[in-house]
Amino acid sequence: MPGHEGLPQGVDPDKASVARMYDAMLGGQHNFAIDREALAAFTAIDPQVRTLARANRAFLRRAVRFLIGAGVRQFIDLGSGIPTQGNVHEVAQEASPGARVIYVDNDPVAVAHSASLLADNPHADIVDADIRRPQDILSSPQVGKLIDFEQPVAVLMITILHFITHEEDPAGLVAAFRDAVPEGSWLAMSHATNQDRPDTAAAVGKLYRSRATSPVTARSRDEILALFDGFDLVEPGLVHVPLWRPDPEDPVPDNPREYWVYAGVGRKGR
């Protein structure tokens, strides 16, 4: 049902949504004027923000294809956002039609569009939940139906943990999902860094604190690396997002540090 000023119920009319802003970065249509205004302010800080968003999305697709190749057939995509081209279930099920995917988000627009998209897909579903409460996700009926915790699971945390503050314990959230999945499971993560372009990261952090539904906490490479505790990174390790196993046709930037997001994929050991 519509809410204030025609916005869906549950949408804060005074705040841009991080999910809808990302949709706008990727050229999607499921965003509002307040989101586009915040994105314009972001673009004034970093004119290549759309390029960075596309590079991050390309990393997600490459990571899913890698994980399918590694034998994974079930995925939990945390903070999945609004559906756009190259969604996890599309990439995974193209390679393996029976692959099972759980999406997780708490943005009303993201949840509604995901539910609509997945209505006829028996192997994918959306959980309306906040990743700050892992047990709500892990105990949900959707996860109980689709995810077999006796088999490897890929947990995807793609540009989501930098929306978790230090006080909200991002390492503890990763550990909750790590401990729930069996040996041989995987973690794919991308995360904004304050190490390469600290002034840009600080300005973006200030923007999100004042205008968006969640603040941004960019972290150093070492801090991001520590979030992979319990997972063994595969080559090439933790690298700038366009450098993680690029496809032959992918452009390799002359200055990867301009892409101030790190990416990596790790396998849970004993």
Side-chain angles (χ1 to χ4, degrees):
M1 294 177 61
H4 182 76
E5 297 180 351
L7 299 182
Q9 190 172 22
V11 172
D12 185 345
D14 299 318
K15 291 288 188 179
S17 154
V18 297
R20 299 191 312 265
M21 283 180 66
Y22 190 54
D23 177 68
M25 291 176 199
L26 294 170
Q29 303 300 315
H30 303 303
N31 51 79
F32 307 122
I34 194 168
D35 309 307
R36 296 187 291 273
E37 291 165 5
L39 176 57
F42 195 153
T43 305
I45 297 169
D46 183 2
Q48 72 156 16
V49 60
R50 293 177 186 271
T51 301
L52 180 57
R54 289 192 295 269
N56 183 67
R57 193 71 182 181
F59 160 69
L60 171 62
R61 292 192 291 268
R62 296 195 304 270
V64 171
R65 291 200 304 267
F66 165 81
L67 292 163
I68 286 287
V72 176
R73 295 296 182 267
Q74 41 187 5
F75 298 80
I76 299 176
D77 185 4
L78 299 168
S80 50
I82 296 169
T84 185
Q85 290 184 336
N87 297 294
V88 172
H89 74 281
E90 294 169 335
V91 177
Q93 292 175 359
E94 180 180 10
S96 178
R100 302 183 299 281
V101 178
I102 289 289
Y103 294 106
V104 179
D105 211 292
N106 65 347
D107 180 273
V109 176
V111 172
H113 283 285
S114 297
S116 176
L117 178 67
L118 302 172
D120 297 323
N121 191 322
H123 300 302
D125 209 342
I126 175 76
V127 177
D128 182 356
D130 191 320
I131 72 162
R132 297 170 183 83
R133 297 189 293 274
Q135 290 309 315
D136 288 357
I137 298 166
L138 294 167
S139 64
S140 69
Q142 297 94 322
V143 167
K145 178 181 178 181
L146 289 180
I147 302 298
D148 176 4
F149 286 100
E150 298 298 318
Q151 300 297 323
V153 180
V155 178
L156 310 178
M157 296 185 170
I158 308 300
T159 53
I160 187 62
L161 286 179
H162 52 233
F163 295 114
I164 303 298
T165 66
H166 297 303
E167 293 74 18
E168 291 169 329
D169 189 17
L173 296 179
V174 177
F177 288 97
R178 180 198 65 210
D179 294 346
V181 298
E183 179 184 344
S185 292
W186 296 81
L187 171 64
M189 182 194 303
S190 59
H191 193 303
T193 182
N194 56 14
Q195 192 164 312
D196 298 320
R197 298 173 59 186
D199 292 343
T200 298
V204 170
K206 183 178 179 180
L207 169 70
Y208 272 80
R209 282 193 301 275
S210 64
R211 301 182 65 166
T213 51
S214 295
V216 167
T217 303
R219 295 181 168 91
S220 70
R221 185 181 184 279
D222 285 346
E223 288 175 312
I224 298 168
L225 188 62
L227 296 173
F228 280 94
D229 182 45
F231 295 89
D232 299 319
L233 285 167
V234 298
E235 291 295 331
L238 186 65
V239 295
H240 292 96
V241 68
L243 301 185
W244 196 90
R245 302 192 177 212
D247 292 329
E249 67 276 13
D250 289 342
V252 178
D254 294 331
N255 185 9
R257 294 167 67 90
E258 290 295 308
Y259 292 76
W260 47 290
V261 170
Y262 280 109
V265 176
R267 185 176 185 272
K268 181 179 176 178
R270 293 175 182 269

